[in-house]
Amino acid sequence: MYTPQPTDTWSSSWLDAVAFVIGLAVAWWGGWNAGDLIWSLWLSSFVVGYATIVWMIGRPAAEFAWKAWRERALVGADKRSVIIFCLLILGGAAFLLAFFTVHFGGFHYVHSQFLISFFPVDLPGSGRASHAGMATYVEVARRYWAFLPSAFLAHRGAFLRRPFSLGDNQSPSLAGGKTISGLFAEPYRNVIRLHMPIFFFFFAHFARLENFAVYAVVYAAYFFPWRLVRKPATHAPVISISTES
């Protein structure tokens, strides 16, 4: 049975309003233009998305390893066997994290090369960069980190859910009845949500529609809790993998 998430009620949408006000205030205070807004969203896409991946991999791995160690006496396992089991869990988590670091990071790297050709970043003491490198990313983080709190607040639902959980019979289950592929697709869906405003700001820049009113409308559409107006999908039962013979 699907259990509604903590962010699935209108009473919780005030946090989305707060995120909207913070994000808009940061853009107004900094006097950002379309290029600034686009790079701030790129930074948020990478940081928030990667943090979601780390959360989805790291929390279950730590939970399973800790539970195996804490309850080793109940199954009569010796310390060495439990340590080996925990190392296997952590090794699997490290492999997944390495894979998504290359895949997710590579996507944003390619995207940054595309963006910098249209919206160059001036580097202190080095002039305008024509190619995005480490110095560019450091400068982007220095300039636009202030937008990150509002982005994290807008995507708080990803961090309020437990990707995996252990039932009373010690069987792991996926939250919301999702498949493994569906679970790990969530950070990429959040990236799409962050990139939609990028496309609008890109269009506004070349259509000479850069003004604060346009920014406010696009931000309002981005921070609006669309999850509350979508039709509820038919959710599959929670997938359980029994460990009992």
Side-chain angles (χ1 to χ4, degrees), residues 8 18 23 29 33 41 75-76 79 86 100 135 149 167 193 204 219 228:
D8 285 347
V18 170
W29 182 266
N33 55 29
L41 288 169
V75 295
K79 289 185 178 180
C86 291
F100 283 106
R193 178 182 172 185
Y219 266 31
L228 301 178

Side-chain angles (χ1 to χ4, degrees), residues 143-154:
R143 291 186 188 181
Y144 309 120
W145 67 266
F147 186 74
L148 291 177
S150 59
F152 271 105
L153 191 57

Side-chain angles (χ1 to χ4, degrees), residues 194-213:
L194 275 164
H195 279 64
M196 289 305 295
I198 288 180
F199 296 141
F200 281 110
F201 289 139
F202 194 88
F203 169 78
H205 172 73
F206 288 100
R208 301 182 183 277
L209 297 175
E210 293 187 75
N211 60 73
F212 192 73

